[in-house]
Amino acid sequence: MWLIPTTRGQRYSIDGYGDLFAEVMKDWIAAGNEHFRPHDLRAGGATKLLNEGHTASDTTGHKLESTLKRHYDRPAERRGKPAA
């Protein structure tokens, strides 16, 4: 069983999934929403669980908290240098 199967119940090819995602994203943006990548779903979910007090192994299966923070923690407030 596949998480996102084709109409025939098979898995999507890489190109097929990319085409499907692009179509869904086009409609999502047309409805006034912000663009995101599939990887952002994992990062967003991990960030939400971190904010609720869960650990790296609870959220992504990583053993080190530093790995989770480096790759997935996406704070709502961007920390960076202001534009000149």
Side-chain angles (χ1 to χ4, degrees):
M1 186 180 304
W2 303 99
L3 180 61
I4 304 173
T6 65
T7 55
R8 294 182 177 176
Q10 300 298 313
R11 71 177 181 93
Y12 276 97
S13 66
I14 297 294
D15 290 337
Y17 178 78
D19 291 344
L20 174 68
F21 190 83
E23 283 297 315
V24 170
M25 184 56 63
K26 185 174 78 173
D27 294 342
W28 177 255
I29 292 170
N33 298 297
E34 189 176 331
H35 181 272
F36 64 90
R37 300 169 300 141
H39 186 78
D40 295 331
L41 297 173
R42 181 175 170 117
T47 299
K48 181 179 182 218
L49 289 172
L50 281 173
N51 291 338
E52 293 173 358
H54 295 274
T55 64
S57 59
D58 290 339
T59 59
T60 61
H62 290 294
K63 292 180 182 176
L64 300 174
E65 294 295 320
S66 59
T67 302
L68 179 68
K69 298 258 186 220
R70 185 172 54 251
H71 294 287
Y72 298 108
D73 189 14
R74 308 275 174 93
E77 194 175 309
R78 297 280 182 202
R79 291 181 223 132
K81 295 179 181 179

